[in-house]
Amino acid sequence: MKYILGVLLVLFASYADIFLFRINIIPVPPASFLIPLFLILFLLKYSIKDFSNTFKSHSFKFLFFIFIISIIYSAFTKSPTSVIIDEIILNIITLILYSFTLHFFMVEDKKTVIFVLATALLVLGGSVIYDFFIGLPAYSKKLSEAVRKGGFGENPNQAASGIKFLAIGVLVLINKNKTSRYLAIVFMLVTVFLTLSRSGMASVILILVFGTMNNWSSKFKINPKTAFISSFKLILLLSVLFISLLSFSEIIKENFPAFSRGAAGERMDMFLGKSKVTVDEGGASGGRALILFKYWNDFQDNPLGYGTGYTSDKRFNGLNTHNYFLSLAVNFGILTLLVFLFYLGYGAKLSFETPQFYYLIFLVLIIFECFIYHNIWYTRTLLISLAFFDSTLYKKY
């Protein structure tokens, strides 16, 4: 039974279930079949009494708080009932999937956990490689015409995000094996680079910086001496990576002409150092700066929040916040934002007390993610990764 549950988690974490539905191998949407199947099998496999221990998790308490606050704020919103119901249902699914997955990682052995995370990483990363060089079956005109490829993740940024979170989870489990560690790092680098995701590459650099400075140990080992030595190693590593990426970029542009045109070409030139990095001034419709100013003004006008689903309501907003901090502040007010900041601070405190250095890296990536996405907990790969990293605080791997 645990292997069936593990395979389902692999499908969820790699977005393979969505892809299989898109190409009609699975006849019904995952939310109507695979997710309920996972929940049913979970209840058959594990004791409800033992499962109650997951309620003590600080992340469960926070996600439960968001669920409750979404119900409370539904009484004050001007959004239609359909938008409110969608938000509340998504919060319920998030809470249940997180708690069930946390329990799975808590009670199962290390080999099973490695199987889930490593297989999900290989499936998602492998789909990006396959999509890039060969091409996945086309089920959407928009995706088939897209130059940048995201594999099973569809959106390249989403694929890169999933890969980095799965990779850092795998590194927790194999950090004592140098060969496996370097293979995981190289795989993460190659697959994230193929997505041409700027946020993905920035996250990878953060992982390399923190990991190298701490000698890739799960304990906190940063001190002046190790910081100096690690800094030298990091500079050498980044230099080698830059040269490798430089050569790889040229090969891609020569063999794939589409990558020399449009947005893909601009990103390639950026990696090659042949173009200047520009900042979106918000002049174009939907620019991030424009969105930021719009929602910041909304927040200033009403710091107590506009209610559940406001930022998702197309009648009031063309695009969502693209920022989780703003999403909480605008929808649920400044008090909810402060609760989230306390949650992040408490997680950092636990990482030092445990100690779990990789959990601190994970939190840094979460914070980075919050600046570019508005619905981070609805992303199943991140949610499953959160459950795994929370399990490292209570169970030693």
Side-chain angles (χ1 to χ4, degrees), residues 229-242:
I229 296 174
S230 298
S231 297
F232 177 78
K233 291 180 179 178
L234 181 62
I235 293 172
L236 181 62
L237 175 62
L238 291 177
S239 298
V240 172
L241 288 174
F242 177 75

PDB file of all heavy atoms in Angstrom, residues 229-242:
ATOM      1  N   ILE A 229      37.155  29.419   3.081  1.00  0.00           N
ATOM      2  CA  ILE A 229      37.481  28.287   2.201  1.00  0.00           C
ATOM      3  C   ILE A 229      36.321  27.997   1.259  1.00  0.00           C
ATOM      4  O   ILE A 229      36.507  27.783   0.053  1.00  0.00           O
ATOM      5  CB  ILE A 229      37.818  27.036   3.039  1.00  0.00           C
ATOM      6  CG1 ILE A 229      39.084  27.284   3.864  1.00  0.00           C
ATOM      7  CG2 ILE A 229      38.001  25.823   2.132  1.00  0.00           C
ATOM      8  CD1 ILE A 229      39.412  26.166   4.833  1.00  0.00           C
ATOM      9  N   SER A 230      35.103  28.011   1.800  1.00  0.00           N
ATOM     10  CA  SER A 230      33.921  27.723   0.988  1.00  0.00           C
ATOM     11  C   SER A 230      33.684  28.806  -0.061  1.00  0.00           C
ATOM     12  O   SER A 230      33.238  28.520  -1.167  1.00  0.00           O
ATOM     13  CB  SER A 230      32.688  27.580   1.880  1.00  0.00           C
ATOM     14  OG  SER A 230      32.843  26.508   2.775  1.00  0.00           O
ATOM     15  N   SER A 231      33.998  30.059   0.307  1.00  0.00           N
ATOM     16  CA  SER A 231      33.844  31.159  -0.647  1.00  0.00           C
ATOM     17  C   SER A 231      34.756  30.959  -1.844  1.00  0.00           C
ATOM     18  O   SER A 231      34.361  31.186  -2.990  1.00  0.00           O
ATOM     19  CB  SER A 231      34.140  32.501   0.027  1.00  0.00           C
ATOM     20  OG  SER A 231      33.222  32.759   1.053  1.00  0.00           O
ATOM     21  N   PHE A 232      35.973  30.535  -1.561  1.00  0.00           N
ATOM     22  CA  PHE A 232      36.917  30.266  -2.651  1.00  0.00           C
ATOM     23  C   PHE A 232      36.398  29.127  -3.537  1.00  0.00           C
ATOM     24  O   PHE A 232      36.428  29.216  -4.769  1.00  0.00           O
ATOM     25  CB  PHE A 232      38.295  29.900  -2.076  1.00  0.00           C
ATOM     26  CG  PHE A 232      39.304  29.529  -3.126  1.00  0.00           C
ATOM     27  CD1 PHE A 232      39.936  30.517  -3.886  1.00  0.00           C
ATOM     28  CD2 PHE A 232      39.621  28.197  -3.364  1.00  0.00           C
ATOM     29  CE1 PHE A 232      40.868  30.179  -4.860  1.00  0.00           C
ATOM     30  CE2 PHE A 232      40.545  27.843  -4.337  1.00  0.00           C
ATOM     31  CZ  PHE A 232      41.173  28.842  -5.085  1.00  0.00           C
ATOM     32  N   LYS A 233      35.908  28.059  -2.895  1.00  0.00           N
ATOM     33  CA  LYS A 233      35.355  26.935  -3.652  1.00  0.00           C
ATOM     34  C   LYS A 233      34.149  27.382  -4.477  1.00  0.00           C
ATOM     35  O   LYS A 233      33.974  26.948  -5.622  1.00  0.00           O
ATOM     36  CB  LYS A 233      34.942  25.807  -2.696  1.00  0.00           C
ATOM     37  CG  LYS A 233      36.100  25.103  -2.013  1.00  0.00           C
ATOM     38  CD  LYS A 233      35.567  24.004  -1.097  1.00  0.00           C
ATOM     39  CE  LYS A 233      36.693  23.257  -0.401  1.00  0.00           C
ATOM     40  NZ  LYS A 233      36.180  22.210   0.521  1.00  0.00           N
ATOM     41  N   LEU A 234      33.324  28.240  -3.870  1.00  0.00           N
ATOM     42  CA  LEU A 234      32.120  28.697  -4.557  1.00  0.00           C
ATOM     43  C   LEU A 234      32.467  29.531  -5.782  1.00  0.00           C
ATOM     44  O   LEU A 234      31.856  29.376  -6.842  1.00  0.00           O
ATOM     45  CB  LEU A 234      31.254  29.514  -3.601  1.00  0.00           C
ATOM     46  CG  LEU A 234      29.936  30.044  -4.165  1.00  0.00           C
ATOM     47  CD1 LEU A 234      29.034  28.892  -4.583  1.00  0.00           C
ATOM     48  CD2 LEU A 234      29.236  30.927  -3.142  1.00  0.00           C
ATOM     49  N   ILE A 235      33.447  30.424  -5.627  1.00  0.00           N
ATOM     50  CA  ILE A 235      33.881  31.243  -6.765  1.00  0.00           C
ATOM     51  C   ILE A 235      34.396  30.354  -7.886  1.00  0.00           C
ATOM     52  O   ILE A 235      34.080  30.555  -9.064  1.00  0.00           O
ATOM     53  CB  ILE A 235      34.966  32.245  -6.326  1.00  0.00           C
ATOM     54  CG1 ILE A 235      34.368  33.288  -5.376  1.00  0.00           C
ATOM     55  CG2 ILE A 235      35.587  32.942  -7.541  1.00  0.00           C
ATOM     56  CD1 ILE A 235      35.394  34.201  -4.744  1.00  0.00           C
ATOM     57  N   LEU A 236      35.183  29.341  -7.515  1.00  0.00           N
ATOM     58  CA  LEU A 236      35.706  28.404  -8.513  1.00  0.00           C
ATOM     59  C   LEU A 236      34.569  27.638  -9.163  1.00  0.00           C
ATOM     60  O   LEU A 236      34.530  27.475 -10.397  1.00  0.00           O
ATOM     61  CB  LEU A 236      36.684  27.437  -7.846  1.00  0.00           C
ATOM     62  CG  LEU A 236      37.338  26.393  -8.760  1.00  0.00           C
ATOM     63  CD1 LEU A 236      38.189  27.083  -9.835  1.00  0.00           C
ATOM     64  CD2 LEU A 236      38.200  25.428  -7.933  1.00  0.00           C
ATOM     65  N   LEU A 237      33.604  27.172  -8.343  1.00  0.00           N
ATOM     66  CA  LEU A 237      32.468  26.413  -8.864  1.00  0.00           C
ATOM     67  C   LEU A 237      31.630  27.256  -9.814  1.00  0.00           C
ATOM     68  O   LEU A 237      31.268  26.811 -10.915  1.00  0.00           O
ATOM     69  CB  LEU A 237      31.612  25.919  -7.698  1.00  0.00           C
ATOM     70  CG  LEU A 237      30.309  25.197  -8.056  1.00  0.00           C
ATOM     71  CD1 LEU A 237      30.593  23.927  -8.836  1.00  0.00           C
ATOM     72  CD2 LEU A 237      29.518  24.879  -6.790  1.00  0.00           C
ATOM     73  N   LEU A 238      31.319  28.489  -9.405  1.00  0.00           N
ATOM     74  CA  LEU A 238      30.496  29.359 -10.244  1.00  0.00           C
ATOM     75  C   LEU A 238      31.221  29.728 -11.536  1.00  0.00           C
ATOM     76  O   LEU A 238      30.580  29.878 -12.586  1.00  0.00           O
ATOM     77  CB  LEU A 238      30.111  30.627  -9.474  1.00  0.00           C
ATOM     78  CG  LEU A 238      29.132  30.438  -8.315  1.00  0.00           C
ATOM     79  CD1 LEU A 238      28.893  31.758  -7.594  1.00  0.00           C
ATOM     80  CD2 LEU A 238      27.817  29.855  -8.800  1.00  0.00           C
ATOM     81  N   SER A 239      32.541  29.847 -11.469  1.00  0.00           N
ATOM     82  CA  SER A 239      33.321  30.141 -12.678  1.00  0.00           C
ATOM     83  C   SER A 239      33.236  28.990 -13.670  1.00  0.00           C
ATOM     84  O   SER A 239      33.028  29.192 -14.866  1.00  0.00           O
ATOM     85  CB  SER A 239      34.786  30.403 -12.308  1.00  0.00           C
ATOM     86  OG  SER A 239      34.910  31.515 -11.466  1.00  0.00           O
ATOM     87  N   VAL A 240      33.376  27.778 -13.141  1.00  0.00           N
ATOM     88  CA  VAL A 240      33.271  26.595 -14.002  1.00  0.00           C
ATOM     89  C   VAL A 240      31.868  26.485 -14.584  1.00  0.00           C
ATOM     90  O   VAL A 240      31.681  26.191 -15.775  1.00  0.00           O
ATOM     91  CB  VAL A 240      33.631  25.313 -13.209  1.00  0.00           C
ATOM     92  CG1 VAL A 240      33.329  24.066 -14.040  1.00  0.00           C
ATOM     93  CG2 VAL A 240      35.089  25.336 -12.791  1.00  0.00           C
ATOM     94  N   LEU A 241      30.858  26.740 -13.739  1.00  0.00           N
ATOM     95  CA  LEU A 241      29.475  26.667 -14.195  1.00  0.00           C
ATOM     96  C   LEU A 241      29.189  27.713 -15.269  1.00  0.00           C
ATOM     97  O   LEU A 241      28.511  27.430 -16.261  1.00  0.00           O
ATOM     98  CB  LEU A 241      28.518  26.854 -13.020  1.00  0.00           C
ATOM     99  CG  LEU A 241      28.415  25.699 -12.031  1.00  0.00           C
ATOM    100  CD1 LEU A 241      27.548  26.098 -10.845  1.00  0.00           C
ATOM    101  CD2 LEU A 241      27.862  24.454 -12.699  1.00  0.00           C
ATOM    102  N   PHE A 242      29.731  28.932 -15.060  1.00  0.00           N
ATOM    103  CA  PHE A 242      29.499  29.981 -16.038  1.00  0.00           C
ATOM    104  C   PHE A 242      30.102  29.616 -17.391  1.00  0.00           C
ATOM    105  O   PHE A 242      29.474  29.788 -18.439  1.00  0.00           O
ATOM    106  CB  PHE A 242      30.087  31.301 -15.539  1.00  0.00           C
ATOM    107  CG  PHE A 242      29.939  32.428 -16.534  1.00  0.00           C
ATOM    108  CD1 PHE A 242      28.711  33.043 -16.729  1.00  0.00           C
ATOM    109  CD2 PHE A 242      31.023  32.836 -17.309  1.00  0.00           C
ATOM    110  CE1 PHE A 242      28.563  34.070 -17.654  1.00  0.00           C
ATOM    111  CE2 PHE A 242      30.885  33.859 -18.234  1.00  0.00           C
ATOM    112  CZ  PHE A 242      29.655  34.479 -18.408  1.00  0.00           C
TER     113      PHE A 242
END
